[in-house]
Amino acid sequence: MAEEKKLVEQITSMDEDFAQWYTDVCIKANLISYSQIKGFMVIKPDGYAIWENIQRHLDDRFKATGVQNVYMPMLIPESLLKKEGELVQGFAPEVAWVTAGGTEPLTERLCVRPTSETVFSDFYKDDVQSYRDLPRLYNQWCSVVRWEKETRPFLRSREFLWQEGHTIHATKEEAEERTQQMLDVYADFLREDMAIPTIKGRKTDKEKFAGAEATYTVEALMHDGRALQSATSHFFGQKFAEAYDIKFTDKDNKLKYVWQTSWGLTTRVIGAMIMVHGDNSGLVLPPRIAPTQVIIVPIMQKKEGVLEKAAELKERLSKSFRVKVDDTDKTPGFKFAEAEMRGIPVRIEIGPKDIEKNQAVIVRRDTREKQFVSLDELEAKLAETLEKMQADMLERAEKRIEELTTEAKTFDEFKEKASQKNGFIKAMWCGDLECEEKVKAEAGYTSRCIPFKQEKISDVCPFCGKPAKQLVYWGNAY
Amino acid sequence: MAEEKKLVEQITSMDEDFAQWYTDVCIKANLISYSQIKGFMVIKPDGYAIWENIQRHLDDRFKATGVQNVYMPMLIPESLLKKEGELVQGFAPEVAWVTAGGTEPLTERLCVRPTSETVFSDFYKDDVQSYRDLPRLYNQWCSVVRWEKETRPFLRSREFLWQEGHTIHATKEEAEERTQQMLDVYADFLREDMAIPTIKGRKTDKEKFAGAEATYTVEALMHDGRALQSATSHFFGQKFAEAYDIKFTDKDNKLKYVWQTSWGLTTRVIGAMIMVHGDNSGLVLPPRIAPTQVIIVPIMQKKEGVLEKAAELKERLSKSFRVKVDDTDKTPGFKFAEAEMRGIPVRIEIGPKDIEKNQAVIVRRDTREKQFVSLDELEAKLAETLEKMQADMLERAEKRIEELTTEAKTFDEFKEKASQKNGFIKAMWCGDLECEEKVKAEAGYTSRCIPFKQEKISDVCPFCGKPAKQLVYWGNAY
């Protein structure tokens, strides 16, 4: 049993060093590998398969709301990027510049897209003439580059994969509705498919997207109590329309500017998934997203009929689930540890005695609960187990948010709670930037969002004593 | 009827000016739009939906052979690119260079990937230790940049979308087999799904991929008789393994270099599809690839019950086909012309009289053949029609290759045939580069491939009189 112990020992305990545990899981579960360039990672088959499942689920949800996919150029001329002042200020310090094409220097430098509002706006300008052409509901799946200083796999990388939706509308109301609708799509997807509950709300002006009138966010809470912004949806008003001259003739025959939104979710959510569900044995994948849902481990596989039975089961179960057999020559113990590291939701053990009794053992990854199941009812039991596991994972994550969310009525109380352990702190706010900066400087917390579900905890802002305007979720964010 | 005539008149006749016809179709069928940067195009929803279907079909075929998807960094350090001499010579003149990240100049410039052999090789170096780790069968879907001088939508653009497969193997035989296998996957996909027949063969040394030991290709023939290289599969031998030090311990305990392949297919095949199947009314999409297979056009739609019936049919048919209804306030004639421009395989016309008779009219896009069909057997007739259309499109394309392929025994005959009209010319070849260059200079043709199906047309090379080594397909290529 030394071998499998070694595999598990390869990862640091999360209680000892959470950051190291996270990196260990990324590497040992075969999700990524570092490349020669800082902040650029290789997403390996096991990591990419998770992303493919995320894409499929989310893309279906987008298309169900009428969204169409497109592809925009990855390079953006500097002059085009600069047309909208706030956006360029926000992104200029972190874009990569292309200055030569082949052997010749370019007359104008081009940036590798950090986000594509500018390119979509430039496109929409000629794409839309009349109210009949609206709305345009476009999305693209692509990679973007932002030259971050500190980098960590999935959480903050210089290149990452994402989707960016960009829509334009005839009316303010419709654009605002779409901004909310896509935030709901994200929240539902995270909750139903990834088993990640989130707090929905609006970003403060300090934390909103460069160039947006309003940014909405879904904020998740990791195992270590730190917060993670999991997706955002932006309402731009007519800012880009004015800067890029996107006009249409309305029903009343008047020329008007369009109303715009954008919304995005990145490979970052894989990091969230690891940190919400993982444990000291490695990854735990939500069954709906897991590339392999069931792994069959033959026991005493050299005995006659065992490998054949495993192959037969795989064939049979593949009609209903994503199934693999581990028929390598490793020991069963090693295979168990490896399957746990990879987060496969359910493993099936089947050996000569099981075959004799027409049964198998099924083991849940999260609780390690074992069940002896008749082969005749294997499909039903697996479906039930996977569904239960998905629901339990969500419930545990919800419970964690509950446990790690506290309230503070005074700044002293706030600082004390923030210093004890991480988690959300709910506290009122006057709405002033100075208070946000004070919280950051003295407690290390940032405003995560102004939640849609408002409560009144105190009458005054605990940071300045002025009348409170709204409740804010504060957190120590990734 | 003036309106719909206008729509069709917007495109140039293919007999008049094929190049202009092609560009007109790309624009008027809403596939692309130009961007501010030469050679960078916007792929619009109708164009991208075709690419999504291509991806789905091809990705399924890849995965069925054991291929796994990954994602590699889009930027490559210059020093890494330079490790293999031939590749860098081939690509250096056409890569885009990133020289600054944020506000700081980089210490080493990075190129935007033109292809990823170097990055995969660098990754494989540490990913593989033992023969047990082999083969690695990886693929990625991404965009690449090559700074081309002349650009045309889909056919030659500075940024394009593609998949690039990169595999490594323990033995030469296995790598060679994989190279052939993937060429077969491409040929089957093009034939079965895109209705594009191709000539399979090997590239001459002059035309092969920079750094490859052997390049295999599938060559298609367009409506105008010009050839188009539609996908390629490369055998690298151990060249990259040696340059990037990719070694493994074999069963005999000896350290050996791996054997490598790569293979790719790009958005170029959308261009091929347009030029193989299109006509003077616009696009003609193969039913298997068409994002919308059936469009329902209500006739006299203001009459009671017509739009309801159209919606009911859509609902019903969507269970078996990809269906849309055009219920806009355009005239039926305009809707017909628009559906034809977009290449939708089958249109259904349904009006008050049809409803009375419990029938509909179905019209094939390619032949314009009309059938009156009872609503009770609509599914069966549609399935039959789509299948027949797919088969007929392939047959027509095959017939065209046959008609436009000739033989030449002498250089004079070759030149005469090449000057008359485009098409493949089959002629023997001695194997010397000088003869290839002479053919290019005097007849404007290049070697397309040394076909797997060899024939003996003459004993000597028609270009120099030396003994002939093999048959070559020559063509005027895109």
Side-chain angles (χ1 to χ4, degrees):
Chain A
M1 299 302 255
E3 221 179 354
E4 58 268 26
K5 218 179 145 207
K6 207 177 98 199
L7 190 76
V8 176
E9 276 173 3
Q10 285 174 334
I11 68 167
T12 308
S13 149
M14 57 160 69
D15 316 295
E16 198 178 295
D17 183 346
F18 193 78
Q20 190 57 49
W21 167 84
Y22 174 76
T23 311
D24 286 353
V25 171
C26 287
I27 300 290
K28 299 298 172 191
N30 268 324
L31 304 184
I32 65 122
S33 164
Y34 294 105
S35 82
Q36 286 210 2
I37 320 176
K38 178 185 157 74
F40 284 74
M41 60 183 179
V42 172
I43 307 183
K44 294 168 76 172
D46 283 354
Y48 199 79
I50 295 170
W51 183 239
E52 285 183 301
N53 282 351
I54 290 172
Q55 284 187 303
R56 187 162 345 114
H57 280 278
L58 207 50
D59 202 65
D60 286 349
R61 287 177 187 266
F62 291 162
K63 283 179 177 155
T65 73
V67 170
Q68 296 180 299
N69 285 335
V70 298
Y71 187 78
M72 294 282 159
M74 72 145 83
L75 299 182
I76 308 173
E78 186 167 16
S79 55
L80 187 63
L81 188 74
K82 281 188 167 166
K83 274 197 179 171
E84 203 290 314
E86 280 183 56
L87 183 98
V88 72
Q89 276 188 359
F91 283 102
E94 55 178 47
V95 296
W97 291 105
V98 172
T99 55
T103 49
E104 282 166 36
L106 300 176
T107 51
E108 180 183 11
R109 58 181 194 164
L110 309 168
C111 81
V112 182
R113 64 178 158 229
T115 180
S116 303
E117 278 73 13
T118 57
V119 194
F120 273 90
S121 295
D122 188 53
F123 167 72
Y124 281 140
K125 171 171 61 76
D126 300 318
D127 194 43
V128 166
Q129 272 86 41
S130 139
Y131 68 92
R132 282 191 198 86
D133 301 330
L134 293 173
R136 289 282 197 241
L137 309 172
Y138 290 172
N139 174 65
Q140 72 175 351
W141 292 93
C142 64
S143 69
V144 290
V145 170
R146 297 180 187 175
W147 222 257
E148 304 277 1
K149 294 223 160 50
E150 296 302 319
T151 65
R152 295 187 63 191
F154 296 119
L155 301 178
R156 197 169 291 277
S157 45
R158 286 185 172 172
E159 179 186 16
F160 57 84
L161 303 180
W162 78 344
Q163 60 66 220
E164 46 178 328
H166 296 266
T167 72
I168 50 175
H169 305 265
T171 67
K172 182 179 178 181
E173 294 64 38
E174 199 187 293
E176 280 180 331
E177 207 175 285
R178 173 59 62 167
T179 315
Q180 298 293 338
Q181 182 183 15
M182 299 322 284
L183 191 76
D184 288 344
V185 166
Y186 290 137
D188 285 351
F189 160 74
L190 287 164
R191 189 182 173 82
E192 304 303 324
D193 296 326
M194 311 264 303
I196 298 177
T198 53
I199 306 294
K200 264 196 261 185
R202 182 177 168 152
K203 285 282 183 192
T204 63
D205 282 352
K206 179 175 184 293
E207 298 287 332
K208 76 178 186 192
F209 183 80
E213 268 192 23
T215 290
Y216 300 92
T217 179
V218 278
E219 299 280 328
L221 202 68
M222 305 299 102
H223 218 297
D224 63 345
R226 287 180 68 183
L228 194 136
Q229 174 183 307
S230 302
T232 46
S233 185
H234 315 290
F235 172 68
F236 288 114
Q238 297 180 307
K239 253 191 203 169
F240 280 93
E242 286 167 16
Y244 290 82
D245 202 33
I246 321 172
K247 283 184 211 142
F248 71 101
T249 308
D250 206 351
K251 284 177 189 165
D252 59 10
N253 232 6
K254 284 189 186 147
L255 215 55
K256 295 177 188 173
Y257 287 116
V258 300
W259 299 85
Q260 201 161 351
T261 84
S262 83
W263 25 276
L265 176 146
T266 82
T267 32
R268 222 178 178 216
V269 294
I270 298 177
M273 191 190 67
I274 298 168
M275 291 194 291
V276 169
H277 301 304
D279 64 21
N280 282 328
S281 302
L283 262 184
V284 180
L285 292 171
R288 295 218 183 119
I289 291 295
T292 302
Q293 297 175 306
V294 177
I295 188 151
I296 302 171
V297 180
I299 309 294
M300 303 177 75
Q301 64 184 36
K302 282 177 185 156
K303 293 263 171 166
E304 206 193 315
V306 174
L307 281 178
E308 289 75 4
K309 192 68 184 177
E312 180 199 313
L313 277 184
K314 183 199 178 245
E315 181 77 16
R316 181 182 132 191
L317 296 175
S318 290
K319 284 173 197 124
S320 318
F321 311 98
R322 299 186 287 273
V323 187
K324 282 198 174 152
V325 176
D326 187 349
D327 54 9
T328 58
D329 54 11
K330 299 163 191 166
T331 65
F334 189 87
K335 290 178 186 179
F336 295 169
E338 203 167 54
E340 290 189 350
M341 180 66 75
R342 296 174 62 203
I344 299 171
V346 169
R347 90 169 171 253
I348 297 181
E349 304 168 15
I350 184 141
K353 279 187 192 156
D354 300 305
I355 296 171
E356 222 169 83
K357 294 184 193 162
N358 191 45
Q359 70 175 25
V361 182
I362 69 177
V363 186
R364 256 174 75 163
R365 167 63 183 88
D366 58 339
T367 58
R368 288 187 177 74
E369 191 191 329
K370 270 192 179 198
Q371 292 177 74
F372 290 86
V373 173
S374 156
L375 292 186
D376 301 331
E377 49 183 21
L378 200 48
E379 278 88 350
K381 282 288 177 195
L382 279 175
E384 189 188 299
T385 304
L386 290 168
E387 214 168 298
K388 186 72 169 54
M389 177 171 163
Q390 179 91 25
D392 289 352
M393 287 173 77
L394 176 63
E395 202 185 303
R396 276 198 302 276
E398 275 177 332
K399 216 169 149 194
R400 183 179 315 129
I401 292 196
E402 224 170 88
E403 283 169 8
L404 293 178
T405 303
T406 55
E407 294 178 5
K409 291 195 179 66
T410 68
F411 200 8
D412 282 341
E413 191 187 352
F414 190 106
K415 283 188 278 194
E416 203 203 315
K417 285 185 168 167
S419 70
Q420 276 170 6
K421 63 174 174 187
N422 284 320
F424 286 130
I425 300 180
K426 297 199 282 186
M428 303 306 287
W429 181 50
C430 61
D432 286 354
L433 175 62
E434 295 90 81
C435 284
E436 266 187 287
E437 286 172 343
K438 201 156 81 178
V439 172
K440 173 78 182 148
E442 296 182 32
Y445 267 40
T446 51
S447 70
R448 301 321 307 148
C449 70
I450 304 160
F452 291 153
K453 273 193 201 150
Q454 281 287 313
E455 299 164 59
K456 193 170 182 179
I457 289 176
S458 61
D459 292 320
V460 297
C461 170
F463 316 116
C464 67
K466 279 188 289 189
K469 276 200 186 128
Q470 57 223 141
L471 177 75
V472 167
Y473 271 77
W474 307 83
N476 178 5
Y478 273 99
Chain B
M1 298 303 253
E3 221 180 355
E4 58 268 24
K5 221 180 142 205
K6 208 177 97 198
L7 189 77
V8 175
E9 275 173 3
Q10 284 175 335
I11 68 167
T12 308
S13 149
M14 56 160 67
D15 316 295
E16 200 178 293
D17 183 345
F18 193 79
Q20 190 57 48
W21 167 83
Y22 174 76
T23 311
D24 286 353
V25 171
C26 287
I27 300 290
K28 299 297 172 190
N30 268 325
L31 302 184
I32 65 123
S33 164
Y34 295 105
S35 82
Q36 285 210 3
I37 320 176
K38 179 185 156 75
F40 285 73
M41 61 184 178
V42 172
I43 307 184
K44 294 168 77 172
D46 284 354
Y48 199 80
I50 295 170
W51 183 239
E52 285 183 301
N53 282 350
I54 290 172
Q55 285 188 303
R56 187 162 347 114
H57 280 277
L58 208 50
D59 201 64
D60 286 350
R61 287 177 187 266
F62 291 161
K63 284 179 177 155
T65 74
V67 170
Q68 295 180 300
N69 285 335
V70 297
Y71 187 77
M72 293 281 160
M74 72 145 84
L75 299 183
I76 308 173
E78 186 167 16
S79 56
L80 186 62
L81 188 73
K82 280 189 168 166
K83 275 196 180 171
E84 203 289 315
E86 280 182 57
L87 183 98
V88 72
Q89 275 188 359
F91 283 102
E94 53 179 49
V95 297
W97 291 105
V98 172
T99 56
T103 49
E104 282 166 37
L106 300 175
T107 52
E108 179 183 12
R109 56 182 194 164
L110 310 168
C111 81
V112 182
R113 65 180 156 227
T115 179
S116 304
E117 278 73 14
T118 57
V119 193
F120 273 90
S121 294
D122 188 54
F123 168 72
Y124 281 141
K125 171 171 61 76
D126 299 319
D127 194 44
V128 166
Q129 273 86 42
S130 139
Y131 68 92
R132 283 191 199 86
D133 301 329
L134 294 173
R136 289 282 197 242
L137 309 172
Y138 289 172
N139 175 65
Q140 73 175 352
W141 293 92
C142 63
S143 70
V144 290
V145 170
R146 297 180 186 174
W147 221 255
E148 304 277 359
K149 293 222 160 50
E150 298 300 320
T151 64
R152 295 187 62 191
F154 296 119
L155 301 179
R156 198 169 290 278
S157 45
R158 286 185 173 172
E159 180 186 16
F160 56 84
L161 303 180
W162 79 344
Q163 60 65 220
E164 47 177 327
H166 296 267
T167 72
I168 51 174
H169 306 264
T171 67
K172 183 180 178 182
E173 293 65 38
E174 198 186 293
E176 279 180 333
E177 208 175 286
R178 173 59 62 167
T179 315
Q180 298 293 339
Q181 182 184 16
M182 299 322 284
L183 192 75
D184 289 343
V185 166
Y186 289 136
D188 286 349
F189 161 74
L190 287 164
R191 189 181 172 81
E192 303 303 324
D193 295 326
M194 311 264 303
I196 298 178
T198 54
I199 306 294
K200 264 195 260 184
R202 182 177 167 152
K203 286 282 182 192
T204 63
D205 283 352
K206 179 174 184 292
E207 299 287 332
K208 76 178 187 193
F209 182 80
E213 269 192 22
T215 290
Y216 300 92
T217 179
V218 279
E219 299 280 328
L221 202 67
M222 305 299 103
H223 218 296
D224 63 344
R226 287 180 68 183
L228 193 136
Q229 174 182 307
S230 302
T232 46
S233 186
H234 315 289
F235 172 68
F236 288 114
Q238 297 179 307
K239 252 190 204 171
F240 281 94
E242 285 167 17
Y244 291 81
D245 202 33
I246 321 172
K247 283 185 212 141
F248 71 101
T249 308
D250 206 351
K251 285 175 188 165
D252 59 11
N253 232 4
K254 284 187 186 150
L255 214 56
K256 295 177 189 172
Y257 288 115
V258 300
W259 299 84
Q260 201 161 352
T261 84
S262 82
W263 25 276
L265 175 144
T266 82
T267 30
R268 226 182 173 211
V269 294
I270 298 177
M273 192 190 66
I274 297 168
M275 291 195 291
V276 168
H277 301 305
D279 64 22
N280 282 328
S281 303
L283 263 183
V284 180
L285 292 171
R288 293 218 184 119
I289 291 295
T292 302
Q293 297 175 306
V294 177
I295 188 151
I296 302 170
V297 179
I299 309 294
M300 302 178 73
Q301 66 185 34
K302 282 176 185 158
K303 293 263 173 167
E304 206 192 314
V306 174
L307 281 178
E308 289 75 5
K309 191 69 184 176
E312 180 199 314
L313 277 185
K314 185 200 176 240
E315 182 75 16
R316 182 182 132 191
L317 296 175
S318 291
K319 284 173 197 124
S320 318
F321 311 97
R322 299 186 286 273
V323 186
K324 282 199 174 151
V325 177
D326 187 348
D327 54 8
T328 58
D329 53 11
K330 298 163 191 165
T331 65
F334 189 87
K335 291 177 185 178
F336 295 169
E338 203 167 54
E340 290 190 349
M341 180 67 74
R342 295 173 62 202
I344 298 170
V346 169
R347 90 169 171 253
I348 298 181
E349 304 169 14
I350 185 141
K353 279 185 193 157
D354 301 306
I355 296 171
E356 224 169 80
K357 293 184 192 161
N358 192 44
Q359 70 176 23
V361 182
I362 70 177
V363 185
R364 257 173 75 164
R365 167 64 183 87
D366 58 339
T367 57
R368 289 187 176 73
E369 191 191 329
K370 271 192 176 196
Q371 293 176 73
F372 289 87
V373 173
S374 156
L375 293 186
D376 301 332
E377 49 183 21
L378 201 49
E379 277 88 349
K381 282 289 174 192
L382 278 175
E384 189 188 300
T385 304
L386 289 168
E387 215 168 296
K388 186 71 169 53
M389 177 170 162
Q390 179 91 25
D392 289 352
M393 287 174 76
L394 176 62
E395 202 185 303
R396 276 198 303 275
E398 275 175 332
K399 217 170 149 193
R400 183 180 314 129
I401 292 197
E402 224 170 86
E403 282 169 10
L404 293 177
T405 302
T406 55
E407 294 179 7
K409 291 193 177 65
T410 68
F411 199 7
D412 282 342
E413 192 187 351
F414 191 106
K415 283 188 277 194
E416 204 203 315
K417 285 186 168 167
S419 69
Q420 276 169 6
K421 64 174 175 188
N422 284 320
F424 286 132
I425 300 180
K426 297 199 283 186
M428 304 305 287
W429 180 49
C430 62
D432 286 354
L433 176 61
E434 295 90 79
C435 284
E436 266 187 287
E437 285 172 342
K438 202 156 79 179
V439 173
K440 173 79 182 148
E442 296 182 32
Y445 267 40
T446 52
S447 71
R448 301 321 308 148
C449 70
I450 304 160
F452 292 151
K453 274 192 200 150
Q454 281 288 312
E455 299 164 57
K456 192 172 184 178
I457 288 176
S458 60
D459 292 321
V460 298
C461 171
F463 316 115
C464 67
K466 280 188 288 190
K469 278 199 184 131
Q470 57 223 140
L471 177 75
V472 167
Y473 270 76
W474 307 83
N476 178 4
Y478 272 101

